[in-house]
Amino acid sequence: MTVQKILPVTCPSCAGRMKVQRLHCNNCDTSIEGAFELPVLNHLNAEELDFVLQFVKTSGSIKDISSQLGFSYPTVRNMLDDLIKKITQTEKELKAKK
Amino acid sequence: MKQALFNPFIKYAGTKALAFGLLFISISWLFATLCNARFDGIVDLHFYDKVSWLQPMLDQFIGLLIMVLVFYLIALVLGSKPRLIDLAGTFAYSRLAFLLAPLLNISGLISNLTNQLKTLDPSHPVLPFSNVQLILLMLLSLATLTLVVWLVALYFKAWKTCSNLKGNKLVFSFIAGLLIVEVITVFLTRNFIA
């Protein structure tokens, strides 16, 4: 049985944002080290990321997502608004670090 | 079940909620006409000796209309953009709490007790009730209070879902909105619907 590993994006010790320090190619065994920032979408949790995927798959139709999830239109609209706020905030924080 | 009673708006809003809401309003209108009840205020239910068949319906429609308009304006002022159909649908659906409320006055139960209270002589303040009547009055008061709390809780959830406001902004805008709507609807229904 394969265990699905979840990419940790916040530090379990101080709750700060994590960076990628090492990347490895399984094909040629090459490794690269550095401090790579995670893409903005990787800062979302699994539930939020799933919502983004559904949103893209339904061509951004809130009506389609609401019927798929069984939620009302304003509930889905609120989920989207909260997500937009979170992404905007993350972008700001990442820019401020640069 | 709990969600269906206290936060149905996660699933229902817009036209679907409005259809349910209109059904609830129609049923409560029927009961109100039969039991001489009026919804003269957005969280009000009063019993009279005689109520015309049209009054309870007009009360509810005026209340709903004022509520949608006032809360829509509040939302715009606070930078939220709810859809009018969601506000109308969720607020109408909230009337579920008052669906059976008029039946509290079945056979003039509350009206008779109130009329008995009116005969009270201030110089001899002895309650004109038997023990059974007193217990009945307390139970009816408790039931009414529970329904009012349920109604306000549904209105709050409706506002929360439609506006997506949070924290103090959500709470204070709801209280202010409800007070404004209550004042306007009480004024209109008691002065212009006879």
Side-chain angles (χ1 to χ4, degrees):
Chain A
M1 197 177 86
T2 47
V3 179
Q4 195 192 351
K5 291 183 181 174
I6 298 164
L7 179 71
V9 291
T10 50
C11 172
S13 174
C14 70
R17 290 192 193 285
M18 303 280 269
K19 282 186 177 180
V20 175
Q21 201 178 8
R22 192 160 180 261
L23 293 161
H24 180 75
C25 171
N26 280 340
N27 194 34
C28 66
D29 238 7
T30 301
S31 291
I32 309 167
E33 285 199 17
F36 303 101
E37 205 68 71
L38 284 168
V40 176
L41 287 180
N42 280 103
H43 290 276
L44 303 178
N45 62 39
E47 208 174 283
E48 291 164 337
L49 211 50
D50 191 46
F51 180 79
V52 172
L53 286 175
Q54 293 222 20
F55 188 71
V56 174
K57 281 180 188 170
T58 55
S59 308
S61 165
I62 297 177
K63 271 187 185 167
D64 287 351
I65 302 181
S66 56
S67 62
Q68 273 179 24
L69 298 177
F71 291 148
S72 65
Y73 183 97
T75 304
V76 175
R77 176 76 243 180
N78 294 346
M79 286 163 78
L80 186 63
D81 284 347
D82 292 344
L83 210 54
I84 291 169
K85 261 184 207 164
K86 186 172 177 179
I87 289 172
T88 312
Q89 182 64 30
T90 307
E91 277 180 333
K92 268 185 196 168
E93 284 174 22
L94 292 176
K95 268 185 191 169
K97 274 186 184 176
K98 284 177 189 174
Chain B
M1 185 66 179
K2 194 181 166 190
Q3 193 192 65
L5 291 177
F6 295 104
N7 196 9
F9 313 121
I10 286 180
K11 288 193 172 182
Y12 303 112
T15 46
K16 208 185 271 183
L18 188 61
F20 276 116
L22 292 177
L23 179 71
F24 299 149
I25 287 173
S26 303
I27 296 171
S28 60
W29 166 48
L30 179 74
F31 290 146
T33 310
L34 292 174
C35 299
N36 292 314
R38 281 197 65 184
F39 305 101
D40 42 0
I42 202 65
V43 288
D44 292 45
L45 173 71
H46 291 107
F47 299 107
Y48 295 88
D49 291 332
K50 190 69 197 152
V51 164
S52 87
W53 65 275
L54 201 57
Q55 281 172 332
M57 183 57 110
L58 285 176
D59 288 343
Q60 294 193 88
F61 275 115
I62 286 175
L64 186 63
L65 185 71
I66 301 291
M67 192 161 194
V68 171
L69 289 176
V70 167
F71 276 97
Y72 186 69
L73 288 176
I74 291 175
L76 291 184
V77 168
L78 295 175
S80 170
K81 290 173 196 160
R83 296 188 309 171
L84 274 168
I85 186 71
D86 288 327
L87 284 171
T90 53
F91 285 145
Y93 191 110
S94 303
R95 301 297 298 180
L96 167 68
F98 267 14
L99 181 75
L100 304 175
L103 294 179
L104 291 171
N105 192 38
I106 203 154
S107 305
L109 205 62
I110 292 184
S111 301
N112 292 340
L113 291 172
T114 315
N115 286 338
Q116 267 180 269
L117 259 183
K118 283 177 189 166
T119 61
L120 187 69
D121 183 359
S123 55
H124 302 285
V126 183
L127 280 177
F129 299 132
S130 67
N131 284 345
V132 176
Q133 282 179 317
L134 208 58
I135 290 169
L136 193 63
L137 191 67
M138 281 164 63
L139 288 175
L140 288 172
S141 308
L142 195 67
T144 313
L145 193 67
T146 307
L147 292 177
V148 170
V149 170
W150 184 19
L151 179 69
V152 173
L154 282 176
Y155 282 152
F156 180 74
K157 291 288 183 182
W159 176 232
K160 188 180 175 186
T161 303
C162 293
S163 70
N164 199 26
L165 293 171
K166 291 180 174 66
N168 286 342
K169 233 180 186 182
L170 169 70
V171 175
F172 289 119
S173 62
F174 176 72
I175 295 170
L178 203 65
L179 286 174
I180 294 169
V181 175
E182 176 67 5
V183 169
I184 297 173
T185 50
V186 165
F187 176 76
L188 288 178
T189 53
R190 292 187 192 173
N191 289 297
F192 297 103
I193 299 174

